[in-house]
Amino acid sequence: MGKLVIVGTVAYDAIETPFGKTDKILGGAGTYIGLSASNFDVDSAIVSIVGGDFEQKYLDLLSSKNIDISGIEIVKEGKTFFWSGKYHNDMNSRDTLITELNTLEDFNPVVPEDYKDAEVVMLGNLHPLVQSSVLDQMTVKPKLVVLDTMNFWMDIALEDLKNVIKRIDVITINDEEARQLTGEYSLVVAAKKIHEMGPKYVVIKKGEHGALLFHNEQMFYAPALPLAEVFDPTGAGDTFAGGFAGYLAKTGDVSFENMKNAVVYGSALASFCVEKFGTERMENLSHSEVQQRLMQFKHLTQFEIELT
Ligand code: AMP
């Protein structure tokens, strides 16, 4: 069985969408990545930090999904990372209202001993120095390192981010962030510039417009499934990343051809995430539901054409 190390926030979120509003609920990039990757037969561990206010039932939830939580540090006297966001009517864009780093401010990640030889490392959206520190702790060079980031870290730690980007194989980033990172409007040109920064593979997430995978001159596109109901897009990008990394850890095949399947798995899992608020949908997802959705993806995009 493949091993997957995930580093990312385990958090409290408060979310507002045109459909409603939540108080503090379970969130965090690490949480969404872990829940998504748990749909694959892999040994995964989350490396993160929470405060004494973090409810045991959420840790139990992660454990019940066979996720190793020994790398989640609990600071009894500290507070858990808190993020609050409000979505616009199009549900594709949002404003961050609050980011309280809390315990994350002094986070020194510790990769569990058993996971220092993991084949796949998923560096979730976090301070780039924390992402680097996880890589430094790996005793065996991972087969694949995937990194996700966001504008927040570009704004406050751009040089550190560029340094860790040099060390990774795949970056997953959304369209606006790819533009911000490169100063290019065209996503094709942006992907080329990101290649030049280090990663051989660039995945650009375009929300409800799907995801693009770039590798040198090759390009692959997977749509997002058009859904009748989208309640809350929070965590969709992380769920995508968790599905992508989980699938590659399970198959052990990191070729471009197999990465196309990983993009489709990531998109399929993300399509569930948005159907309910927070992590709710990802907490109760069956294998057959995932399989059915993959078939829907296949039918959505498959066509036979005769060249005339
Ligand atoms: P996504 O919708 O995929 O971008 O991810 C949303 C999740 O990212 C939420 O559950 C937040 O807790 C988490 N998050 C928001 N801002 C940050 C940040 N600056 N660093 C790390 N995680 C964050």
Side-chain angles (χ1 to χ4, degrees), residues 8-13 15 26-32 81-84 87 94 96 98-99 101 104 124-127 148-153 174 177 205 233-240:
T9 41
V10 171
Y12 280 133
D13 288 350
I15 303 159
L26 175 64
T31 305
Y32 282 104
F81 173 80
F82 174 63
W83 176 81
S84 161
Y87 287 85
R94 71 182 178 205
T96 288
I98 304 169
T99 301
L101 294 178
L104 206 63
N125 175 26
L126 263 181
H127 196 295
D148 189 60
T149 191
M150 73 186 287
N151 50 358
F152 183 84
W153 304 112
N174 80 25
E177 289 153 1
K205 300 170 287 181
T234 308
D238 305 312
T239 301
F240 174 92

mmCIF file of all heavy atoms in Angstrom, residues 8-13 15 26-32 81-84 87 94 96 98-99 101 104 124-127 148-153 174 177 205 233-240, ligand 1:
data_model
loop_
_atom_site.group_PDB
_atom_site.id
_atom_site.type_symbol
_atom_site.label_atom_id
_atom_site.label_comp_id
_atom_site.label_asym_id
_atom_site.label_seq_id
_atom_site.Cartn_x
_atom_site.Cartn_y
_atom_site.Cartn_z
ATOM 1 N N GLY A 8 -1.123 20.301 6.230
ATOM 2 C CA GLY A 8 -2.131 21.321 5.915
ATOM 3 C C GLY A 8 -2.886 21.718 7.161
ATOM 4 O O GLY A 8 -2.777 21.055 8.201
ATOM 5 N N THR A 9 -3.656 22.772 7.041
ATOM 6 C CA THR A 9 -4.405 23.238 8.209
ATOM 7 C C THR A 9 -5.515 22.260 8.574
ATOM 8 O O THR A 9 -6.174 21.685 7.718
ATOM 9 C CB THR A 9 -5.054 24.619 7.925
ATOM 10 O OG1 THR A 9 -5.584 24.617 6.596
ATOM 11 C CG2 THR A 9 -4.053 25.732 8.045
ATOM 12 N N VAL A 10 -5.673 22.088 9.879
ATOM 13 C CA VAL A 10 -6.858 21.442 10.437
ATOM 14 C C VAL A 10 -7.491 22.576 11.241
ATOM 15 O O VAL A 10 -6.855 23.130 12.135
ATOM 16 C CB VAL A 10 -6.468 20.229 11.301
ATOM 17 C CG1 VAL A 10 -7.656 19.692 12.060
ATOM 18 C CG2 VAL A 10 -5.866 19.136 10.408
ATOM 19 N N ALA A 11 -8.695 22.950 10.862
ATOM 20 C CA ALA A 11 -9.142 24.300 11.236
ATOM 21 C C ALA A 11 -10.599 24.364 11.628
ATOM 22 O O ALA A 11 -11.359 23.402 11.468
ATOM 23 C CB ALA A 11 -8.915 25.218 10.033
ATOM 24 N N TYR A 12 -10.963 25.564 12.098
ATOM 25 C CA TYR A 12 -12.376 25.931 12.195
ATOM 26 C C TYR A 12 -12.646 26.962 11.113
ATOM 27 O O TYR A 12 -11.858 27.896 10.911
ATOM 28 C CB TYR A 12 -12.678 26.534 13.564
ATOM 29 C CG TYR A 12 -12.864 25.509 14.654
ATOM 30 C CD1 TYR A 12 -12.239 25.645 15.891
ATOM 31 C CD2 TYR A 12 -13.688 24.404 14.451
ATOM 32 C CE1 TYR A 12 -12.422 24.705 16.899
ATOM 33 C CE2 TYR A 12 -13.867 23.455 15.453
ATOM 34 C CZ TYR A 12 -13.241 23.614 16.664
ATOM 35 O OH TYR A 12 -13.427 22.683 17.647
ATOM 36 N N ASP A 13 -13.764 26.781 10.417
ATOM 37 C CA ASP A 13 -14.189 27.720 9.383
ATOM 38 C C ASP A 13 -15.571 28.281 9.733
ATOM 39 O O ASP A 13 -16.392 27.574 10.332
ATOM 40 C CB ASP A 13 -14.347 27.001 8.026
ATOM 41 C CG ASP A 13 -13.028 26.602 7.382
ATOM 42 O OD1 ASP A 13 -11.962 27.038 7.866
ATOM 43 O OD2 ASP A 13 -13.083 25.862 6.388
ATOM 44 N N ILE A 15 -18.527 30.004 7.325
ATOM 45 C CA ILE A 15 -18.747 30.205 5.892
ATOM 46 C C ILE A 15 -20.100 30.853 5.632
ATOM 47 O O ILE A 15 -21.097 30.495 6.263
ATOM 48 C CB ILE A 15 -18.701 28.833 5.172
ATOM 49 C CG1 ILE A 15 -17.371 28.127 5.450
ATOM 50 C CG2 ILE A 15 -18.892 28.985 3.676
ATOM 51 C CD1 ILE A 15 -17.413 26.644 5.232
ATOM 52 N N LEU A 26 -15.921 22.306 11.215
ATOM 53 C CA LEU A 26 -14.642 21.686 10.846
ATOM 54 C C LEU A 26 -14.220 22.137 9.449
ATOM 55 O O LEU A 26 -15.031 22.171 8.525
ATOM 56 C CB LEU A 26 -14.806 20.161 10.862
ATOM 57 C CG LEU A 26 -13.613 19.336 10.379
ATOM 58 C CD1 LEU A 26 -12.400 19.531 11.287
ATOM 59 C CD2 LEU A 26 -13.995 17.861 10.303
ATOM 60 N N GLY A 27 -12.960 22.503 9.294
ATOM 61 C CA GLY A 27 -12.446 22.891 7.982
ATOM 62 C C GLY A 27 -10.949 22.681 7.950
ATOM 63 O O GLY A 27 -10.386 21.937 8.761
ATOM 64 N N GLY A 28 -10.313 23.351 7.023
ATOM 65 C CA GLY A 28 -8.857 23.275 6.908
ATOM 66 C C GLY A 28 -8.447 22.464 5.690
ATOM 67 O O GLY A 28 -9.066 21.449 5.354
ATOM 68 N N ALA A 29 -7.387 22.947 5.051
ATOM 69 C CA ALA A 29 -6.909 22.289 3.842
ATOM 70 C C ALA A 29 -6.507 20.837 4.138
ATOM 71 O O ALA A 29 -6.852 19.920 3.386
ATOM 72 C CB ALA A 29 -5.724 23.070 3.276
ATOM 73 N N GLY A 30 -5.804 20.618 5.257
ATOM 74 C CA GLY A 30 -5.350 19.265 5.601
ATOM 75 C C GLY A 30 -6.534 18.327 5.803
ATOM 76 O O GLY A 30 -6.486 17.152 5.406
ATOM 77 N N THR A 31 -7.589 18.855 6.416
ATOM 78 C CA THR A 31 -8.784 18.041 6.666
ATOM 79 C C THR A 31 -9.411 17.596 5.342
ATOM 80 O O THR A 31 -9.702 16.412 5.139
ATOM 81 C CB THR A 31 -9.824 18.873 7.450
ATOM 82 O OG1 THR A 31 -9.202 19.372 8.622
ATOM 83 C CG2 THR A 31 -11.046 18.055 7.800
ATOM 84 N N TYR A 32 -9.625 18.562 4.438
ATOM 85 C CA TYR A 32 -10.253 18.217 3.158
ATOM 86 C C TYR A 32 -9.378 17.260 2.337
ATOM 87 O O TYR A 32 -9.881 16.322 1.714
ATOM 88 C CB TYR A 32 -10.539 19.481 2.338
ATOM 89 C CG TYR A 32 -11.761 20.245 2.808
ATOM 90 C CD1 TYR A 32 -11.642 21.414 3.543
ATOM 91 C CD2 TYR A 32 -13.035 19.774 2.509
ATOM 92 C CE1 TYR A 32 -12.774 22.109 3.980
ATOM 93 C CE2 TYR A 32 -14.162 20.459 2.930
ATOM 94 C CZ TYR A 32 -14.031 21.629 3.664
ATOM 95 O OH TYR A 32 -15.145 22.298 4.084
ATOM 96 N N PHE A 81 -6.466 27.311 14.266
ATOM 97 C CA PHE A 81 -6.532 28.207 13.096
ATOM 98 C C PHE A 81 -7.999 28.445 12.728
ATOM 99 O O PHE A 81 -8.802 27.510 12.694
ATOM 100 C CB PHE A 81 -5.798 27.534 11.928
ATOM 101 C CG PHE A 81 -5.920 28.259 10.605
ATOM 102 C CD1 PHE A 81 -5.121 29.354 10.328
ATOM 103 C CD2 PHE A 81 -6.836 27.829 9.649
ATOM 104 C CE1 PHE A 81 -5.230 30.018 9.106
ATOM 105 C CE2 PHE A 81 -6.945 28.490 8.421
ATOM 106 C CZ PHE A 81 -6.140 29.586 8.162
ATOM 107 N N PHE A 82 -8.326 29.709 12.461
ATOM 108 C CA PHE A 82 -9.717 30.043 12.122
ATOM 109 C C PHE A 82 -9.758 30.865 10.843
ATOM 110 O O PHE A 82 -9.018 31.836 10.687
ATOM 111 C CB PHE A 82 -10.354 30.840 13.266
ATOM 112 C CG PHE A 82 -11.741 31.349 12.949
ATOM 113 C CD1 PHE A 82 -12.783 30.462 12.690
ATOM 114 C CD2 PHE A 82 -12.004 32.711 12.904
ATOM 115 C CE1 PHE A 82 -14.055 30.929 12.377
ATOM 116 C CE2 PHE A 82 -13.275 33.185 12.598
ATOM 117 C CZ PHE A 82 -14.299 32.290 12.337
ATOM 118 N N TRP A 83 -10.624 30.438 9.937
ATOM 119 C CA TRP A 83 -10.801 31.157 8.668
ATOM 120 C C TRP A 83 -12.279 31.399 8.420
ATOM 121 O O TRP A 83 -13.107 30.530 8.708
ATOM 122 C CB TRP A 83 -10.215 30.327 7.512
ATOM 123 C CG TRP A 83 -10.448 30.944 6.165
ATOM 124 C CD1 TRP A 83 -9.735 31.949 5.586
ATOM 125 C CD2 TRP A 83 -11.470 30.594 5.220
ATOM 126 N NE1 TRP A 83 -10.243 32.241 4.354
ATOM 127 C CE2 TRP A 83 -11.307 31.431 4.105
ATOM 128 C CE3 TRP A 83 -12.511 29.656 5.218
ATOM 129 C CZ2 TRP A 83 -12.144 31.359 2.984
ATOM 130 C CZ3 TRP A 83 -13.348 29.584 4.103
ATOM 131 C CH2 TRP A 83 -13.147 30.430 3.008
ATOM 132 N N SER A 84 -12.577 32.598 7.941
ATOM 133 C CA SER A 84 -13.970 32.886 7.624
ATOM 134 C C SER A 84 -14.036 33.511 6.229
ATOM 135 O O SER A 84 -13.220 34.371 5.874
ATOM 136 C CB SER A 84 -14.509 33.823 8.702
ATOM 137 O OG SER A 84 -15.646 34.474 8.249
ATOM 138 N N TYR A 87 -18.951 33.970 0.117
ATOM 139 C CA TYR A 87 -19.009 33.768 -1.338
ATOM 140 C C TYR A 87 -19.908 34.787 -2.000
ATOM 141 O O TYR A 87 -20.940 35.177 -1.443
ATOM 142 C CB TYR A 87 -19.495 32.347 -1.651
ATOM 143 C CG TYR A 87 -18.422 31.338 -1.334
ATOM 144 C CD1 TYR A 87 -18.278 30.852 -0.038
ATOM 145 C CD2 TYR A 87 -17.523 30.933 -2.300
ATOM 146 C CE1 TYR A 87 -17.265 29.969 0.285
ATOM 147 C CE2 TYR A 87 -16.507 30.047 -1.994
ATOM 148 C CZ TYR A 87 -16.379 29.567 -0.704
ATOM 149 O OH TYR A 87 -15.366 28.705 -0.393
ATOM 150 N N ARG A 94 -14.829 34.562 -3.816
ATOM 151 C CA ARG A 94 -15.153 34.757 -2.402
ATOM 152 C C ARG A 94 -14.226 35.795 -1.800
ATOM 153 O O ARG A 94 -13.138 36.078 -2.338
ATOM 154 C CB ARG A 94 -15.028 33.440 -1.638
ATOM 155 C CG ARG A 94 -13.584 32.987 -1.477
ATOM 156 C CD ARG A 94 -13.465 31.661 -0.757
ATOM 157 N NE ARG A 94 -12.081 31.238 -0.670
ATOM 158 C CZ ARG A 94 -11.687 29.991 -0.553
ATOM 159 N NH1 ARG A 94 -12.558 29.010 -0.520
ATOM 160 N NH2 ARG A 94 -10.406 29.689 -0.467
ATOM 161 N N THR A 96 -12.151 36.635 1.713
ATOM 162 C CA THR A 96 -11.755 36.152 3.030
ATOM 163 C C THR A 96 -12.088 37.251 4.026
ATOM 164 O O THR A 96 -11.693 38.399 3.850
ATOM 165 C CB THR A 96 -10.245 35.833 3.050
ATOM 166 O OG1 THR A 96 -10.030 34.643 2.290
ATOM 167 C CG2 THR A 96 -9.727 35.601 4.455
ATOM 168 N N ILE A 98 -11.869 36.723 7.648
ATOM 169 C CA ILE A 98 -10.958 36.608 8.796
ATOM 170 C C ILE A 98 -9.968 35.462 8.549
ATOM 171 O O ILE A 98 -10.373 34.391 8.083
ATOM 172 C CB ILE A 98 -11.739 36.276 10.104
ATOM 173 C CG1 ILE A 98 -12.834 37.305 10.374
ATOM 174 C CG2 ILE A 98 -10.798 36.144 11.293
ATOM 175 C CD1 ILE A 98 -13.796 36.891 11.494
ATOM 176 N N THR A 99 -8.706 35.712 8.842
ATOM 177 C CA THR A 99 -7.725 34.621 8.933
ATOM 178 C C THR A 99 -7.003 34.802 10.261
ATOM 179 O O THR A 99 -6.261 35.761 10.429
ATOM 180 C CB THR A 99 -6.682 34.669 7.790
ATOM 181 O OG1 THR A 99 -7.357 34.593 6.527
ATOM 182 C CG2 THR A 99 -5.691 33.518 7.873
ATOM 183 N N LEU A 101 -4.334 33.030 12.471
ATOM 184 C CA LEU A 101 -3.379 31.920 12.415
ATOM 185 C C LEU A 101 -3.344 31.138 13.729
ATOM 186 O O LEU A 101 -3.184 29.923 13.733
ATOM 187 C CB LEU A 101 -1.987 32.441 12.064
ATOM 188 C CG LEU A 101 -1.836 33.028 10.661
ATOM 189 C CD1 LEU A 101 -0.423 33.551 10.452
ATOM 190 C CD2 LEU A 101 -2.169 32.013 9.570
ATOM 191 N N LEU A 104 -1.045 28.173 14.480
ATOM 192 C CA LEU A 104 -0.269 28.013 13.253
ATOM 193 C C LEU A 104 0.940 28.943 13.212
ATOM 194 O O LEU A 104 1.911 28.685 12.496
ATOM 195 C CB LEU A 104 -1.175 28.306 12.054
ATOM 196 C CG LEU A 104 -0.822 27.654 10.738
ATOM 197 C CD1 LEU A 104 -0.920 26.144 10.845
ATOM 198 C CD2 LEU A 104 -1.746 28.165 9.640
ATOM 199 N N GLY A 124 -0.069 20.769 1.569
ATOM 200 C CA GLY A 124 -1.273 21.607 1.474
ATOM 201 C C GLY A 124 -0.934 23.066 1.740
ATOM 202 O O GLY A 124 0.153 23.401 2.232
ATOM 203 N N ASN A 125 -1.879 23.890 1.412
ATOM 204 C CA ASN A 125 -1.793 25.329 1.537
ATOM 205 C C ASN A 125 -1.397 25.765 2.963
ATOM 206 O O ASN A 125 -2.205 25.695 3.876
ATOM 207 C CB ASN A 125 -3.196 25.826 1.162
ATOM 208 C CG ASN A 125 -3.356 27.289 1.331
ATOM 209 O OD1 ASN A 125 -2.388 28.042 1.263
ATOM 210 N ND2 ASN A 125 -4.593 27.702 1.558
ATOM 211 N N LEU A 126 -0.151 26.203 3.104
ATOM 212 C CA LEU A 126 0.403 26.592 4.411
ATOM 213 C C LEU A 126 1.599 27.498 4.173
ATOM 214 O O LEU A 126 2.019 27.661 3.029
ATOM 215 C CB LEU A 126 0.946 25.349 5.118
ATOM 216 C CG LEU A 126 0.087 24.640 6.128
ATOM 217 C CD1 LEU A 126 0.872 23.466 6.700
ATOM 218 C CD2 LEU A 126 -0.312 25.553 7.280
ATOM 219 N N HIS A 127 2.189 28.006 5.249
ATOM 220 C CA HIS A 127 3.390 28.821 5.069
ATOM 221 C C HIS A 127 4.454 27.991 4.323
ATOM 222 O O HIS A 127 4.726 26.838 4.691
ATOM 223 C CB HIS A 127 3.948 29.277 6.421
ATOM 224 C CG HIS A 127 4.934 30.410 6.265
ATOM 225 N ND1 HIS A 127 6.130 30.257 5.603
ATOM 226 C CD2 HIS A 127 4.873 31.696 6.636
ATOM 227 C CE1 HIS A 127 6.775 31.415 5.593
ATOM 228 N NE2 HIS A 127 6.024 32.314 6.210
ATOM 229 N N ASP A 148 0.193 22.718 -2.945
ATOM 230 C CA ASP A 148 -0.944 23.621 -3.187
ATOM 231 C C ASP A 148 -0.663 24.903 -2.403
ATOM 232 O O ASP A 148 -0.068 24.873 -1.331
ATOM 233 C CB ASP A 148 -2.226 22.950 -2.670
ATOM 234 C CG ASP A 148 -3.470 23.721 -3.086
ATOM 235 O OD1 ASP A 148 -3.687 23.880 -4.292
ATOM 236 O OD2 ASP A 148 -4.210 24.182 -2.204
ATOM 237 N N THR A 149 -1.068 26.020 -2.965
ATOM 238 C CA THR A 149 -0.856 27.277 -2.248
ATOM 239 C C THR A 149 -1.964 28.257 -2.592
ATOM 240 O O THR A 149 -2.886 27.928 -3.338
ATOM 241 C CB THR A 149 0.544 27.853 -2.557
ATOM 242 O OG1 THR A 149 0.816 28.926 -1.664
ATOM 243 C CG2 THR A 149 0.664 28.344 -4.000
ATOM 244 N N MET A 150 -1.896 29.445 -2.027
ATOM 245 C CA MET A 150 -2.917 30.452 -2.332
ATOM 246 C C MET A 150 -2.328 31.856 -2.241
ATOM 247 O O MET A 150 -1.194 32.042 -1.781
ATOM 248 C CB MET A 150 -4.124 30.301 -1.404
ATOM 249 C CG MET A 150 -3.876 30.761 0.005
ATOM 250 S SD MET A 150 -5.240 30.422 1.135
ATOM 251 C CE MET A 150 -6.456 31.616 0.627
ATOM 252 N N ASN A 151 -3.131 32.836 -2.664
ATOM 253 C CA ASN A 151 -2.668 34.228 -2.710
ATOM 254 C C ASN A 151 -2.147 34.735 -1.352
ATOM 255 O O ASN A 151 -1.198 35.505 -1.302
ATOM 256 C CB ASN A 151 -3.771 35.142 -3.255
ATOM 257 C CG ASN A 151 -5.095 34.937 -2.559
ATOM 258 O OD1 ASN A 151 -5.208 34.085 -1.681
ATOM 259 N ND2 ASN A 151 -6.085 35.698 -2.937
ATOM 260 N N PHE A 152 -2.773 34.285 -0.254
ATOM 261 C CA PHE A 152 -2.354 34.731 1.076
ATOM 262 C C PHE A 152 -0.842 34.583 1.263
ATOM 263 O O PHE A 152 -0.159 35.493 1.729
ATOM 264 C CB PHE A 152 -3.104 33.885 2.127
ATOM 265 C CG PHE A 152 -2.840 34.282 3.559
ATOM 266 C CD1 PHE A 152 -3.545 35.312 4.151
ATOM 267 C CD2 PHE A 152 -1.878 33.606 4.311
ATOM 268 C CE1 PHE A 152 -3.302 35.671 5.474
ATOM 269 C CE2 PHE A 152 -1.635 33.960 5.634
ATOM 270 C CZ PHE A 152 -2.354 35.000 6.210
ATOM 271 N N TRP A 153 -0.298 33.433 0.861
ATOM 272 C CA TRP A 153 1.144 33.172 1.049
ATOM 273 C C TRP A 153 1.981 33.901 0.006
ATOM 274 O O TRP A 153 3.112 34.279 0.272
ATOM 275 C CB TRP A 153 1.424 31.658 1.045
ATOM 276 C CG TRP A 153 0.607 30.966 2.093
ATOM 277 C CD1 TRP A 153 -0.416 30.089 1.896
ATOM 278 C CD2 TRP A 153 0.686 31.143 3.523
ATOM 279 N NE1 TRP A 153 -0.964 29.706 3.100
ATOM 280 C CE2 TRP A 153 -0.308 30.333 4.106
ATOM 281 C CE3 TRP A 153 1.509 31.908 4.368
ATOM 282 C CZ2 TRP A 153 -0.512 30.263 5.489
ATOM 283 C CZ3 TRP A 153 1.310 31.830 5.740
ATOM 284 C CH2 TRP A 153 0.316 31.025 6.281
ATOM 285 N N ASN A 174 -5.030 27.812 -8.259
ATOM 286 C CA ASN A 174 -6.198 28.218 -9.046
ATOM 287 C C ASN A 174 -5.820 29.275 -10.077
ATOM 288 O O ASN A 174 -4.704 29.807 -10.067
ATOM 289 C CB ASN A 174 -7.406 28.549 -8.165
ATOM 290 C CG ASN A 174 -7.347 29.925 -7.551
ATOM 291 O OD1 ASN A 174 -6.694 30.816 -8.081
ATOM 292 N ND2 ASN A 174 -8.034 30.109 -6.450
ATOM 293 N N GLU A 177 -4.644 32.724 -8.943
ATOM 294 C CA GLU A 177 -3.349 32.657 -8.256
ATOM 295 C C GLU A 177 -2.212 32.401 -9.242
ATOM 296 O O GLU A 177 -1.108 32.930 -9.076
ATOM 297 C CB GLU A 177 -3.409 31.596 -7.158
ATOM 298 C CG GLU A 177 -4.292 32.068 -6.013
ATOM 299 C CD GLU A 177 -4.943 30.966 -5.223
ATOM 300 O OE1 GLU A 177 -4.725 29.776 -5.519
ATOM 301 O OE2 GLU A 177 -5.718 31.296 -4.313
ATOM 302 N N LYS A 205 -6.511 25.007 -11.400
ATOM 303 C CA LYS A 205 -7.910 24.729 -11.060
ATOM 304 C C LYS A 205 -8.741 25.948 -11.422
ATOM 305 O O LYS A 205 -8.371 27.065 -11.093
ATOM 306 C CB LYS A 205 -8.027 24.446 -9.560
ATOM 307 C CG LYS A 205 -7.207 23.270 -9.080
ATOM 308 C CD LYS A 205 -7.167 23.174 -7.568
ATOM 309 C CE LYS A 205 -6.302 24.219 -6.945
ATOM 310 N NZ LYS A 205 -6.206 24.164 -5.487
ATOM 311 N N PRO A 233 -18.586 25.987 -1.957
ATOM 312 C CA PRO A 233 -17.366 25.548 -2.653
ATOM 313 C C PRO A 233 -16.149 25.395 -1.739
ATOM 314 O O PRO A 233 -15.101 24.962 -2.203
ATOM 315 C CB PRO A 233 -17.095 26.671 -3.660
ATOM 316 C CG PRO A 233 -18.281 27.574 -3.613
ATOM 317 C CD PRO A 233 -18.933 27.372 -2.289
ATOM 318 N N THR A 234 -16.258 25.731 -0.462
ATOM 319 C CA THR A 234 -15.091 25.662 0.432
ATOM 320 C C THR A 234 -14.482 24.259 0.414
ATOM 321 O O THR A 234 -15.193 23.273 0.582
ATOM 322 C CB THR A 234 -15.483 26.019 1.881
ATOM 323 O OG1 THR A 234 -16.159 27.248 1.858
ATOM 324 C CG2 THR A 234 -14.261 26.097 2.784
ATOM 325 N N GLY A 235 -13.189 24.226 0.241
ATOM 326 C CA GLY A 235 -12.484 22.950 0.313
ATOM 327 C C GLY A 235 -12.451 22.187 -1.000
ATOM 328 O O GLY A 235 -11.818 21.139 -1.092
ATOM 329 N N ALA A 236 -13.116 22.717 -2.034
ATOM 330 C CA ALA A 236 -13.147 21.979 -3.305
ATOM 331 C C ALA A 236 -11.729 21.816 -3.863
ATOM 332 O O ALA A 236 -11.361 20.741 -4.344
ATOM 333 C CB ALA A 236 -14.040 22.690 -4.313
ATOM 334 N N GLY A 237 -10.929 22.882 -3.761
ATOM 335 C CA GLY A 237 -9.560 22.819 -4.286
ATOM 336 C C GLY A 237 -8.727 21.803 -3.516
ATOM 337 O O GLY A 237 -7.936 21.050 -4.105
ATOM 338 N N ASP A 238 -8.905 21.757 -2.217
ATOM 339 C CA ASP A 238 -8.143 20.805 -1.390
ATOM 340 C C ASP A 238 -8.634 19.381 -1.631
ATOM 341 O O ASP A 238 -7.847 18.436 -1.640
ATOM 342 C CB ASP A 238 -8.313 21.147 0.093
ATOM 343 C CG ASP A 238 -7.929 22.582 0.358
ATOM 344 O OD1 ASP A 238 -6.861 22.999 -0.104
ATOM 345 O OD2 ASP A 238 -8.720 23.293 1.005
ATOM 346 N N THR A 239 -9.941 19.246 -1.805
ATOM 347 C CA THR A 239 -10.504 17.924 -2.086
ATOM 348 C C THR A 239 -9.968 17.416 -3.418
ATOM 349 O O THR A 239 -9.623 16.238 -3.559
ATOM 350 C CB THR A 239 -12.047 18.004 -2.102
ATOM 351 O OG1 THR A 239 -12.462 18.490 -0.826
ATOM 352 C CG2 THR A 239 -12.673 16.665 -2.375
ATOM 353 N N PHE A 240 -9.877 18.324 -4.377
ATOM 354 C CA PHE A 240 -9.275 17.966 -5.669
ATOM 355 C C PHE A 240 -7.846 17.457 -5.437
ATOM 356 O O PHE A 240 -7.462 16.387 -5.911
ATOM 357 C CB PHE A 240 -9.256 19.192 -6.602
ATOM 358 C CG PHE A 240 -8.520 18.950 -7.884
ATOM 359 C CD1 PHE A 240 -9.198 18.511 -9.005
ATOM 360 C CD2 PHE A 240 -7.140 19.133 -7.957
ATOM 361 C CE1 PHE A 240 -8.506 18.253 -10.189
ATOM 362 C CE2 PHE A 240 -6.447 18.872 -9.130
ATOM 363 C CZ PHE A 240 -7.133 18.436 -10.244
HETATM 364 P P1 AMP B 1 -10.196 25.943 -0.601
HETATM 365 O O1 AMP B 1 -11.657 26.287 -0.658
HETATM 366 O O2 AMP B 1 -9.874 24.648 -1.261
HETATM 367 O O3 AMP B 1 -9.311 27.060 -1.027
HETATM 368 O O4 AMP B 1 -9.836 25.692 0.929
HETATM 369 C C1 AMP B 1 -10.513 26.253 1.992
HETATM 370 C C2 AMP B 1 -9.858 25.812 3.285
HETATM 371 O O5 AMP B 1 -8.580 26.421 3.376
HETATM 372 C C3 AMP B 1 -10.646 26.250 4.491
HETATM 373 O O6 AMP B 1 -11.165 25.111 5.142
HETATM 374 C C4 AMP B 1 -9.670 27.042 5.357
HETATM 375 O O7 AMP B 1 -9.636 26.605 6.687
HETATM 376 C C5 AMP B 1 -8.320 26.840 4.702
HETATM 377 N N1 AMP B 1 -7.551 28.092 4.601
HETATM 378 C C6 AMP B 1 -8.016 29.338 4.343
HETATM 379 N N2 AMP B 1 -7.012 30.234 4.344
HETATM 380 C C7 AMP B 1 -5.874 29.553 4.597
HETATM 381 C C8 AMP B 1 -4.496 29.910 4.718
HETATM 382 N N3 AMP B 1 -4.076 31.172 4.580
HETATM 383 N N4 AMP B 1 -3.607 28.931 4.971
HETATM 384 C C9 AMP B 1 -4.019 27.655 5.099
HETATM 385 N N5 AMP B 1 -5.282 27.251 5.016
HETATM 386 C C10 AMP B 1 -6.209 28.172 4.762
#
